Amino acid sequence: MTTTSTTPSSSVPGLVHGVYAEGEPIRDTKAPPGPIDRRWNTRKFEASLVNPANRRKLSVIIVGTGLAGGAAAATLGEAGYQVKSFCYQDSPRRAHSIAAQGGINAAKNYKEDGDSVYRLFYDTVKGGDYRSRESNVYRLAEVSTNIIDQCVAQGVPFAREYGGLLDNRSFGGVQVSRTFYARGQTGQQLLIGAYQALERQVAAGTVEMFSRHEMLEVVVVDGKARGIIARDLVTGEIETHLADAVVLASGGYGNVFYLSTNAMGSNVTATWRAHRKGAHFANPCYTQIHPTCIPVAGEHQSKLTLMSESLRNDGRIWVPKNAADCEKDPREIPEEDRDYYLERIYPSFGNLVPRDIASRQAKNVCDEGRGVGPKVGDFRRGVYLDFTDALKRMSAEAVAEKYGNLLDMYQRITGENPYEVPMRIYPAVHYTMGGLWVDYDLQSSIPGLFVTGEANFSDHGANRLGASALMQGLADGYFVLPHTIRDYLARGPFEKLEESHEAVVEARASVDARVQKFLSIKGDRSVDSFHKELGNIMWEFCGMERSEEGLLKAIDLIRGLRDEFWRNVKVLGAADTLNQSLEKAGRVADFLELGELMCIDALHRRESCGGHFRAESQTEDGEALRHDDEYAYVAAWEWGGQDGAPVLHKEDLVYEFVEMKQRSYK
Amino acid sequence: MNLTLKIWRQAGPKAKGEMVTYPVTDISEDMSFLEMLDVLNEQLNARGEEPIAFDSDCREGICGMCGLMISGKAHGPEVTTTCQLHMRSFSDGDEITIEPWRADAFPVIKDLVVDRGSFDRIIQAGGFISANTGSAPEAHSVPVPKPKADRAFMAAACIGCGACVAACPNASGMLFMGAKITHLGELPQGQPERDARVVNMVSQHDHEGFGGCTNIGECSSACPKEIPLDVINQLNKDLRGALMRGE
Ligand SMILES: Cc1cc2nc3c(=O)[nH]c(=O)nc-3n(C[C@H](O)[C@H](O)[C@H](O)COP(=O)(O)OP(=O)(O)OC[C@H]3O[C@@H](n4cnc5c(N)ncnc54)[C@H](O)[C@@H]3O)c2cc1C
Ligand code: SF4
Ligand code: FES
């Protein structure tokens, strides 16, 4: 590996690579010792209890109403705590969990095909490319079965067989059928289940709901999280909300890339503000890029749409062998001039190789100039996903039965008929494995601040398997957090906190000042134009392939862009009304800081693992190469101050049960 | 293509609104309708005029956040959500009017943004199955016949967008509510609370200021998820039954 140091122009001497410092390692994650299948029971037993009569005197703020936050709010409300729940949408039912299509894993072994809690645990650790914690993953697999029971009891209409029992499918290249689904709308149905449970608690008076509210700061008093500052997005009022503990369930930060499959409002603000107040940010560079998305159509593109990867079961992926054929009608390109590159490179897995591999190979063929579809910038960014063979083999009716809704969606977005012309697909940012660092209790490095769902980093290592984010969100929300936060709350009653407390006043004043600052810059460029430029930098240098040279360049570019943002952004309108430009400005300002940390994390990790591919660390035939001796750790970053450098804390990953191996799909 | 847009502008909940005309040029047919509005907003921002407020989040037709009256039709000319409508459904030179959902139960907040909190309150009144976390029996202990499961799923596909209300001359929320009644009513798990659910939801619906149903059917034609009108029959049947049983 190369270690030549072309440090960024504004780097500080004495720092590693000129950009970060190294701090103390993290030694204790609070997972109990002992046999892996006993650990969670041990932790639950040891967690202190709270007398039912005392619960209503204890309060919890939960930011986010997706699977992770909605499930937690409902469950804590049912238990009798006083809950305040927040989301930025107009209703908690619209959290982005709603968009998940494929399904949710659970080790029910209903198919009697050899599945078990241990196998789900094993697959998830392996799928994460040995960069996740065994204890956490085992617990996830263990509670997965309870999730299905809970959802069925709530009325989630999972797919069923004629006998009336639940149906399962295999998903994401695993060999057992453990995925529960509700057609292509699994996330929607699970979220509606959690939402209804939440609304039931709103009616019962245990949960107070604040929709169209955006959390903009966390209140930390005497080292503990004691509340948040939020903006009422309708009136613009800056509000203070205090509680005994705070939970962040605010989702992923894929929108740092501007274009992603995330929702327009998905943001890092909640977790980033907490990071700046002392919560470590773990593995920020681990991003999942999904291979089957609809390609970018032009400059106006505002988001990307995922097409379920089940399409890879019957569709064949190819590009022309010769760049000269790329503009031709694909139907006129004869068989011998097509390169079914996945089938060629990976004869045994073919089109079903894992997401990261399928994505990177698509990039490679397009970089060679063999991409198809419209040019975006200098290159055509698309590969064919061809159903011609499937249509011959299965009949159009059978294809429609299986994939109809996806093919219709494709046609609606692109205007092309996939039954006649091969579809075009290209990878897109889809999920972020990184997030706030949490211990086994899902508590961050700020006591009293818990983090659940995609917002934390805990369970997926460097790569997430299909159908396991929904599982994690609901595991955290229904079954894990309610036990671990109880242990924290049992230490109450907490000291009464007034809004006039110095730390509260300061947090609120900083939010006010920031809002005023955005409105007063009165520059020339729109928030979106900065966001797009940041997205391009991230995609180019911190996307599917990363290199030292590129990352150092990106760090420089981001610093320059951030500087310009604070001088030249133009935000119109007022602070005291609904103001969508102002909302976006706050989100983009935080992305501009996060982007730099992602590049620093990617730079420091000089190995390839899961979704993180370093050009300098590959095998002779171009596959990802891990360096377990050096990098089998979680990188937890501490905020180094506005003008300081981030500080790296390493948490060693110890594998007691699963043996680390290099992945191979050849 | 070049288009003339007539858009409802309203500075705040109590402000008086008006239609304002904006020409837009060079619109590509691959743009989504909302991306076309993004382009207009960038131009307004550059000119120093405040961008038009409108709601959207997932932009893939599933969250239910978007929703505009486009030339008098809820979600525009196709059977889809506003965010999934593409400009190829329009032609060069078209004049398009864009308004918010209009209903007493959905007051305007600003420009094209409305408050649909009334839908959440209808769900609070009874749109759930009471099953506390941890209390659930093993999932396979209660089989559900496939036709019932499928019908429950069909009804559960509602995204809560409110197009049905906006399309209805009476501004009735019966299709939305019927979808929830049908979803939960088809399942064995939904039976214990079935009577109370329908009575409480209907009472909340009326309290919120939604109108009654007079079987016009505009709701179902506008529904992006094609929720069929028969969920309203189901609702009425359940309601009659519940009232007869003295709920
Ligand atoms: C298109 C798509 C398809 C997917 N398909 C699958 C699949 O098939 N299977 C699978 O397992 N996973 C899938 N995933 C991943 C999975 O859906 C997500 O990781 C998961 O649902 C995240 O849930 P969450 O509760 O952590 O966050 P979210 O559901 O994103 O919820 C975030 C919540 O936080 C709130 N929020 C955020 N910031 C703030 C703030 N500053 N102030 C106030 N509130 C805030 C939001 O309003 C929202 O309520 C998919 C993801 C996408 C994008
Ligand atoms: S019934 Fe249809 S139109 Fe009405 S809210 Fe549901 S999805 Fe929207
Ligand atoms: S923005 Fe989510 S349905 Fe249109």
Side-chain angles (χ1 to χ4, degrees), chain B residues 132-210:
Chain B
N132 281 4
T133 302
S135 64
E138 177 7 87
H140 266 180
S141 59
V142 189
V144 182
K146 189 166 163 44
K148 282 190 166 287
D150 286 350
R151 187 152 187 269
F153 174 83
M154 170 283 292
C158 161
I159 57 174
C161 62
C164 46
V165 176
C168 173
N170 309 329
S172 169
M174 292 288 265
L175 193 71
F176 165 79
M177 202 164 40
K180 189 50 55 195
I181 295 291
T182 306
H183 162 205
L184 300 178
E186 284 292 345
L187 298 170
Q189 291 84 356
Q191 299 315 311
E193 292 164 296
R194 190 164 174 176
D195 285 354
R197 176 180 307 122
V198 68
V199 171
N200 293 336
M201 286 176 76
V202 169
S203 138
Q204 187 67 33
H205 169 270
D206 297 349
H207 174 78
E208 293 288 349
F210 290 101

Side-chain angles (χ1 to χ4, degrees), chain B residues 34 56-66 81-83 159:
Chain B
L34 296 182
S56 77
D57 203 36
C58 75
R59 294 211 178 176
E60 49 186 274
I62 193 74
C63 75
M65 185 99 174
C66 65
T81 55
T82 301
C83 61
I159 57 174

Side-chain angles (χ1 to χ4, degrees), chain A residues 71 74-75 78 88-96 98-101 108 110 146 148-167 180 182-185 188-189 192 195-197 199-203 209 211-212 234 258 261-266 297 300-306 409 411-416 478-479 524-529 570-574 577-581 584, chain B residues 11-13 28-32 34-36 38-39 41-42 44-60 62-66 78-81 84-86 88 109-111 113-117 119-121 123-125 127-147 149-150 152-154 156-162 176 180 183-184 187 189-190 193 225:
Chain A
T75 305
E78 288 160 5
Y88 68 77
Q89 295 93 342
D90 73 331
S91 163
R93 66 179 291 152
R94 309 203 200 283
H96 200 52
I98 200 118
Q101 303 171 351
K108 280 285 197 188
Y110 282 159
N146 304 350
I148 303 304
D149 299 341
Q150 183 61 33
C151 295
V152 167
Q154 290 170 342
V156 170
F158 283 121
R160 289 184 182 261
E161 295 169 342
Y162 282 98
L165 299 179
L166 294 160
D167 190 20
F180 293 77
R183 231 175 277 171
Q185 283 135 268
Q188 179 197 25
Q189 294 310 320
I192 295 298
Y195 157 75
Q196 288 171 185
E199 292 295 5
R200 175 173 161 245
Q201 291 311 305
V202 173
M209 186 66 229
S211 31
R212 289 202 201 267
V234 175
Y258 185 71
T261 64
N262 282 2
M264 301 305 287
S266 297
H300 55 266
Q301 192 94 22
S302 61
K303 77 149 280 162
L304 294 170
T305 302
L306 176 80
M409 177 175 79
Q411 180 157 15
R412 180 162 296 134
I413 293 175
T414 63
E416 289 170 5
Y478 285 133
F479 297 108
D524 296 327
R525 283 183 67 181
S526 71
V527 177
D528 274 357
S529 79
K570 179 178 192 172
V571 181
L572 298 171
T577 68
L578 179 77
N579 185 338
Q580 294 173 328
S581 309
K584 283 196 256 181
Chain B
S28 124
E29 61 168 29
D30 287 330
M31 284 183 191
S32 72
L34 296 182
E35 285 167 350
M36 184 270 297
D38 291 341
V39 169
N41 272 345
E42 283 291 286
L44 292 179
N45 195 70
R47 298 209 291 263
E49 289 174 47
E50 205 181 327
I52 298 151
F54 62 88
D55 267 331
S56 77
D57 203 36
C58 75
R59 294 211 178 176
E60 49 186 274
I62 193 74
C63 75
M65 185 99 174
C66 65
E78 316 276 344
V79 180
T80 188
T81 55
Q84 289 287 287
L85 178 66
H86 280 68
R88 65 181 73 87
I109 293 173
K110 183 172 181 173
D111 295 341
V113 177
V114 300
D115 178 355
R116 285 169 292 200
F119 267 10
D120 288 333
R121 290 187 292 273
I123 298 298
Q124 283 159 27
F128 49 75
I129 290 172
S130 302
N132 281 4
T133 302
S135 64
E138 177 7 87
H140 266 180
S141 59
V142 189
V144 182
K146 189 166 163 44
D150 286 350
F153 174 83
M154 170 283 292
C158 161
I159 57 174
C161 62
F176 165 79
K180 189 50 55 195
H183 162 205
L184 300 178
L187 298 170
Q189 291 84 356
E193 292 164 296
K225 298 294 145 180

Side-chain angles (χ1 to χ4, degrees), chain A residues 17-146:
Chain A
H17 267 302
V19 288
Y20 71 91
E22 199 163 327
E24 285 293 299
I26 297 171
R27 293 214 168 74
D28 186 12
T29 66
K30 295 221 224 109
I36 193 128
D37 57 349
R38 296 290 312 151
R39 289 182 185 174
W40 178 228
N41 269 322
T42 306
R43 181 70 194 110
K44 278 193 288 190
F45 182 73
E46 285 173 356
S48 313
L49 298 174
V50 181
N51 178 329
N54 285 338
R55 293 184 197 160
R56 76 184 112 80
K57 296 179 204 145
L58 292 163
S59 56
V60 181
I61 283 173
I62 303 182
V63 179
T65 60
L67 294 184
T75 305
L76 293 176
E78 288 160 5
Y81 298 98
Q82 249 184 70
V83 180
K84 281 184 174 184
S85 166
F86 293 79
C87 69
Y88 68 77
Q89 295 93 342
D90 73 331
S91 163
R93 66 179 291 152
R94 309 203 200 283
H96 200 52
S97 292
I98 200 118
Q101 303 171 351
I104 177 167
N105 287 332
K108 280 285 197 188
N109 192 27
Y110 282 159
K111 296 280 177 188
E112 195 58 26
D113 55 1
D115 199 12
S116 62
V117 167
Y118 200 88
R119 191 178 296 281
L120 175 54
F121 155 67
Y122 176 87
D123 287 352
T124 309
V125 170
K126 176 175 176 229
D129 218 2
Y130 309 95
R131 290 293 176 264
S132 54
R133 279 187 200 143
E134 284 186 331
S135 305
N136 285 59
V137 176
Y138 192 91
R139 173 177 66 191
L140 175 65
E142 192 178 334
V143 303
S144 68
T145 57
N146 304 350

